[in-house]
Structures are given as C-alpha cells and as structure tokens.
C-alpha cells in the first residue's frame, strides 16, 4: 500500500547541511559596511585605502549592483582589503577561490583565507570553517573543532551558527547530546527572525524534544517559518492539519500548504500531496493528480516517490500494470537507501516477480534493509537462507530467525518451528519445534495456534492433552 509517513525521522532540518557549500549568508549583514549607496563616495573612500569601502566596492563589482559586473575588479579590491586583514574581504575572497569564480579553483587557498577570517572572529568564516570540519571533505573531520567554531559564531548572534550548534547538541556531535541546549539555540535563531531556526524550534515543540510538547507553540513557529517560505515547515504544518494534531483537522488547509511548497519546487511536498490525493483516490481526478505528482517527484530523484509509484505500477492503479517497471523503480530507490524499496525488490528477486529470480540479489537487498533497521528483514533473509540457500547457509539462517524471534517476531517463531520440525536429521528436533510453535501461538499467530492444537491432540512434541488442544483450537477459530 502507499505509505503515509510525514516526519520520517527525529532529526532537525538545518540550513547548514552536511555538504559544505561556500556561500555568503543572506542573513548576515556586515555591521561595518558603508550605509550610503553613493558610488562616488565609496570609490573615493576606497581610493584612500578604506578597508570597508574596498570591500563594499568589491561586493558591487561582484554582484553588478550599481556598476557593471566585473569579477576581476572585485577580486583585485578584495585582495587589497585582505592585505589589511579585513575579515569580510578575506572571507569573500575565500569563497571565490573555493568555487573557482574569477580565479582558478584552489581549495587550499580558500581554506587558508577562511581560516584567516575565522582567526579574526568573523562569524560567517567561523561557521563555514566549522561546516568544513564537520563534513570532513576539505579538512579532516573533527566534530569537536566544528562545535567550538559554531559556539563562537553563535554567541555573535549569527543564525547559521546557532542552527548548526543546535544540530550538534541534538545529535551529540563534538559534545554530549543536550536537547535543552538544542532548544535554547533554536530559540535564539528563531527570535532573530531566522526561518530555519523557527522551523527547528517548531519541530522540537511538535515532538516534545528539549521542551514540553506544545502544539500551539509548534503551530506558531511553523507559521512563522511558513511566512518565510520554509517548505519543511509547510510540510509539517500540513501534517498537523491532516491529522488534527493540536488543531482542528482540515484537509483543505493541509493541501493548500503542500501546494505552496510544491510551487517552491519541494519534491518532498509533491510526495506528501500525492499521498493525500491517493488517500481520496475514489475521486478519479485525485488519483490522476497523485500519479502525476509521484512521476514528477520520481523523475526528480525522490526515492519515496519511486517506491510509491512502483506500488501503483505493481497493482495497476492509475497506470497500466507493469511489474517490470515496478521492480525497476524499487531497485533504483533501494540502491539510494530507501528501506521499503529494499524489502520490495528483495521479495521480487526471491520470487522472480518483475525480474529474473536471483537469490543472491534477494539476500543482498534484505541485508541492506537489515542495516537500515527494518525488523522484518532479518526474518525474511533468515528464512531465505534456510529455504533456498546451500546446506552451509542454514545455520546462518537459523541465527537470523532466532534473533528476530527472540525480539518478538511471531512469524519468525513459527518459521523456526517448521524448520526444526521438517528439517533434515542434523537439525530436526520436535521438542525445539514445539517450543517455537508455542511461542508463536502464545503471541497470537493463527497458524501456530492450529499447530499447537494438533500437537496437544496427537501428543506430538508435548504430552497428549485434549483440553489444551481444545483451548488452542478455539483460539485458532
């Protein structure tokens, strides 16, 4: 069936993502830059060596605002200001070297210039250097150093750093997990008017992490973030309206919020909107819209969309039935980390559905799902080892099944019973089989209830006991 999962995992979405992208923060306003827009005054001050004016003029040439765009001229001016140890100029110059704009790309020079600006306690440089240490791409990964840099910049009221610092506290990177501190820094960023900070704080109130769960506060800060075009806030606020969490259930408001996020090119919003349309698929127009959105999001690379679209192709709903296309979509999503798709494509290879039967690939994808924490995957892989593997695979299969069974998987318990009951002489053991059948029956598994009724009736693996047989049979019925 189509899955409806709105908040996929408990993790704060932050502007400062894992990948380091060297950009100038739109929210950071250099406190020292000239207020006047008079180019002649700026030029005159720059000619006299004023570091602020040199940087202001460089910014104008870089952006083409007020003057003809001239990157070479901008670099020349940034270099002059940098020689005076002016942090904003050093920082801007580092971005140009990092991205190879107007100069040959030189990551080492970029990092060096950024470090110089950071040494001058320039918040954007401190933050960017922190992101670089956290990502471990252009510098060795060092969470503690990243944390220290974010803390310095956050104390200077730089919202990107405050969000990044909240993330470090939330995930225990470079410091101990501390949800109270995460909430504190999200609050500071939100109070400074930052959309991401408002979203993060709303999320914490929504989930009750580091603060008491408070739907009113969550709604308030989601709305603040929505007003600033934060698509994640739109998605989560839509979730609240769709499920009546702290607000009156309102499908129309949920749809409108998601439509707004879709207009902002959010593929995640496309998938959520498609899922709502699918929920009301009895309206043929809604089913058509769901398919269109799933296709668009899948083409844009969204793995959840690929998974859901695969389901539609598999059952032939809204599209022509095509198990081959379904398997293709699931495999694509599986290879990009979607655990549900991993389970589905594993099953396809196990049964030869839409693909050529291939037990090795089935085992591969079940193993990937296990790594992603899918509970059923251990049972499915374990049973596959026992059913289709070589004789040498059976101990590994039993190990996986027992692991699942000991964690309460009643199907795994029943399957262990069948393996010990029907296996070859090396593993056949009616008493052990009975133990597992009984565990599954006591957990309410229907086929195990019937099996235990038979065993007590026939005295097979247990002493004959007609009353117990009757009790299990009644439970079975």
């Amino acid at each position: 069936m189509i899955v409806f999962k709105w908040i996929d995992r408990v993790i704060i979405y932050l502007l400062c993502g894992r990948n380091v992208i060297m950009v100038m923060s739109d929210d950071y306003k250099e406190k020292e830059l000239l207020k006047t827009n008079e180019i002649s005054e700026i030029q005159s001050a720059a000619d006299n060596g004023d570091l602020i004016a040199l940087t202001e003029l460089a910014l104008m040439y870089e952006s083409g605002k007020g003057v003809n765009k001239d990157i070479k001229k901008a670099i020349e001016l940034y270099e002059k200001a940098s020689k005076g140890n002016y942090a904003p100029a050093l920082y801007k110059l580092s971005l140009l070297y990092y991205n190879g704009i107007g100069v040959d790309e030189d990551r080492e020079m970029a990092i060096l210039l950024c470090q110089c600006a950071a040494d001058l306690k320039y918040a954007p440089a401190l933050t960017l250097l922190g992101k670089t240490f956290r990502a471990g791409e252009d510098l060795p990964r060092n969470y503690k150093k990243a944390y220290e840099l974010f803390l310095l910049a956050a104390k200077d009221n730089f919202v990107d750093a405050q969000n990044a610092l909240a993330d470090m506290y939330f995930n225990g990177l470079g410091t101990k997990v501390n949800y109270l501190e995460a909430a504190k820094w999200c609050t500071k960023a939100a109070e400074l008017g930052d959309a991401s900070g408002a979203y993060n704080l709303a999320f914490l109130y929504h989930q009750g992490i580091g603060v008491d769960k408070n739907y009113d506060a969550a709604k308030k800060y989601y709305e603040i973030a929505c007003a600033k075009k934060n698509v994640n806030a739109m998605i989560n606020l839509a979730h609240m309206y769709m499920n009546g969490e702290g607000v009156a259930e309102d499908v129309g408001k949920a749809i409108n919020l998601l439509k707004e996020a879709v207009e902002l090119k959010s593929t995640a919003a496309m998938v959520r909107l498609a899922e709502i349309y699918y929920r009301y698929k009895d309206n043929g127009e809604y089913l058509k819209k769901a398919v269109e959105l799933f296709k668009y999001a899948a083409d844009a690379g969204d793995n959840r969309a690929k998974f859901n679209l695969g389901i539609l192709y598999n059952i032939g709903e809204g599209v022509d039935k095509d198990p081959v296309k379904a398997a293709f979509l699931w495999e694509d999503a599986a290879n990009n980390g979607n655990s549900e798709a991993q389970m589905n494509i594993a099953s396809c290879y196990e049964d030869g559905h839409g693909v050529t039967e291939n037990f090795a690939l089935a085992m591969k994808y079940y193993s990937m799902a296990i790594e992603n924490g899918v509970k059923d995957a251990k049972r499915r892989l374990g049973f596959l080892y026992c059913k289709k593997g070589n004789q040498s695979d059976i101990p590994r299969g039993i190990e996986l099944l027992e692991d699942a069974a000991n964690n309460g998987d009643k199907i795994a318990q029943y399957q262990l019973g069948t393996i010990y009951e029907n296996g070859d002489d090396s593993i056949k053991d009616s008493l052990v089989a009975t133990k597992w059948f009984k565990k599954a029956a006591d957990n309410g598994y229907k086929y195990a209830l019937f099996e235990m009724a038979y065993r007590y009736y026939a005295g097979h693996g247990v002493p004959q006991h007609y009353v117990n047989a009757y009790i299990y049979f009644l439970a079975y019925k």
Side-chain angles (χ1 to χ4, degrees):
M1 62 174 66
I2 300 294
V3 294
F4 296 95
K5 293 183 179 176
W6 290 77
I7 302 175
D8 296 306
R9 61 182 61 187
V10 182
I11 184 168
I12 302 180
Y13 173 83
L14 296 164
L15 286 177
C16 48
R18 298 298 180 203
N19 295 323
V20 176
I21 302 173
M22 299 191 88
V23 293
M24 187 74 162
S25 169
D26 291 331
D27 294 324
Y28 191 81
K29 309 299 182 186
E30 283 80 357
K31 300 171 185 176
E32 300 175 79
L33 291 183
L34 298 178
K35 303 298 182 182
T36 178
N37 290 321
E38 293 295 329
I39 299 172
S40 59
E41 291 183 20
I42 296 172
Q43 181 68 65
S44 176
D47 290 343
N48 288 320
D50 186 288
L51 300 179
I52 300 172
L54 284 166
T55 305
E56 177 77 356
L57 194 58
L59 284 166
M60 293 168 66
Y61 276 112
E62 183 184 354
S63 64
K65 292 182 179 178
V67 295
N68 292 328
K69 188 172 183 176
D70 187 336
I71 294 295
K72 295 294 184 184
K73 182 69 174 175
I75 291 170
E76 177 187 325
L77 291 164
Y78 283 139
E79 287 177 341
K80 284 183 179 179
S82 295
K83 288 176 182 176
N85 249 12
Y86 187 54
L90 287 161
Y91 174 71
K92 285 294 291 179
L93 196 56
S94 77
L95 304 185
L96 297 179
Y97 272 105
Y98 190 93
N99 295 298
I101 298 174
V103 291
D104 291 337
E105 183 181 305
D106 188 334
R107 297 290 177 90
E108 289 186 6
M109 176 61 77
I111 297 298
L112 177 62
L113 290 165
C114 190
Q115 179 67 68
C116 289
D119 288 344
L120 294 166
K121 303 296 186 288
Y122 186 57
L126 289 165
T127 305
L128 188 53
L129 198 60
K131 292 179 185 180
T132 308
F133 277 116
R134 185 178 62 184
E137 293 177 1
D138 298 296
L139 288 171
R141 176 170 281 132
N142 188 328
Y143 290 131
K144 188 173 189 305
K145 184 67 176 175
Y147 164 79
E148 291 168 350
L149 290 164
F150 290 147
L151 183 59
L152 280 174
K155 288 179 177 178
D156 196 32
N157 285 334
F158 187 52
V159 293
D160 281 0
Q162 290 170 340
N163 284 322
L165 186 59
D167 181 53
M168 302 297 274
Y169 278 119
F170 190 88
N171 292 294
L173 302 176
T175 185
K176 293 180 179 179
V177 170
N178 190 326
Y179 295 135
L180 286 174
E181 282 294 310
K184 165 187 155 183
W185 288 105
C186 286
T187 302
K188 286 181 178 293
E191 288 174 348
L192 288 169
D194 179 64
S196 184
Y199 166 77
N200 291 339
L201 185 57
F203 180 86
L204 294 179
Y205 276 119
H206 194 173
Q207 299 300 308
I209 301 171
V211 291
D212 292 335
K213 182 175 283 192
N214 186 326
Y215 288 129
D216 288 338
K219 178 176 176 288
K220 170 188 170 181
Y221 285 106
Y222 278 143
E223 287 176 341
I224 290 171
C226 286
K228 295 176 179 292
K229 306 300 181 185
N230 184 292
V231 295
N232 296 284
M234 294 172 189
I235 291 169
N236 281 7
L237 187 55
H239 168 80
M240 291 181 71
Y241 278 114
M242 195 68 198
N243 294 280
E245 288 185 0
V247 295
E249 185 177 313
D250 193 327
V251 177
K253 282 187 178 180
I255 288 175
N256 287 337
L257 282 162
L258 291 172
K259 280 182 174 179
E260 186 177 355
V262 167
E263 288 175 2
L264 295 169
K265 308 300 181 186
S266 167
T267 55
M270 290 176 195
V271 177
R272 272 67 170 184
L273 184 57
E275 289 169 353
I276 292 178
Y277 284 141
Y278 181 81
R279 185 178 294 185
Y280 298 97
K281 63 184 178 180
D282 290 343
N283 179 327
E285 192 61 30
Y286 276 3
L287 179 58
K288 182 180 177 181
K289 288 180 178 180
V291 172
E292 288 173 355
L293 286 166
F294 280 141
K295 284 183 175 179
Y296 193 96
D299 288 344
D302 189 283
N303 292 313
R304 179 163 158 168
K306 293 172 191 173
F307 170 74
N308 285 337
L309 188 58
I311 290 173
L312 296 182
Y313 275 113
N314 191 51
I315 62 179
E317 190 167 27
V319 293
D320 292 335
K321 189 171 184 177
D322 191 337
V324 173
K325 187 168 284 188
F328 174 82
L329 287 162
W330 287 334
E331 187 155 23
D332 189 10
N335 286 325
N336 283 288
N338 185 282
S339 59
E340 292 158 318
Q342 288 162 357
M343 291 294 288
N344 280 15
I345 191 60
S347 180
C348 287
Y349 277 117
E350 181 179 353
D351 300 327
H353 180 75
V355 292
T356 302
E357 189 178 272
N358 188 319
F359 299 129
L361 285 175
M363 291 173 182
K364 167 192 168 182
Y365 286 113
Y366 281 136
S367 296
M368 289 169 68
I370 289 171
E371 291 177 4
N372 278 326
V374 180
K375 292 182 179 179
D376 291 348
K378 282 187 179 179
R379 166 175 42 86
R380 297 285 292 273
L381 180 58
F383 194 66
L384 184 59
Y385 271 125
C386 294
K387 183 175 70 170
K388 300 291 186 180
N390 299 320
Q391 190 68 24
S392 60
D393 292 326
I394 292 176
R396 173 58 176 156
I398 290 175
E399 179 186 350
L400 287 165
L401 283 170
E402 287 185 344
D403 191 6
N406 286 327
N407 281 287
D409 188 324
K410 57 190 179 185
I411 301 176
Q413 292 164 352
Y414 178 78
Q415 288 174 338
L416 280 168
T418 63
I419 289 167
Y420 280 111
E421 181 64 30
N422 302 315
D424 62 29
D425 291 340
S426 65
I427 60 171
K428 191 176 181 70
D429 189 323
S430 186
L431 291 176
V432 175
T434 300
K435 178 189 83 170
W436 288 112
F437 281 136
K438 188 174 187 307
K439 282 181 179 288
D442 292 346
N443 281 321
Y445 191 59
K446 185 174 182 179
Y447 298 114
L449 288 165
F450 183 82
E451 179 68 29
M452 286 308 299
Y454 161 74
R455 285 174 173 261
Y456 275 116
Y457 179 80
H460 183 66
V462 290
Q464 191 174 52
H465 197 299
Y466 292 133
V467 174
N468 282 349
Y470 182 66
I471 291 171
Y472 276 107
F473 186 72
L474 283 178
Y476 165 74
K477 291 184 68 177

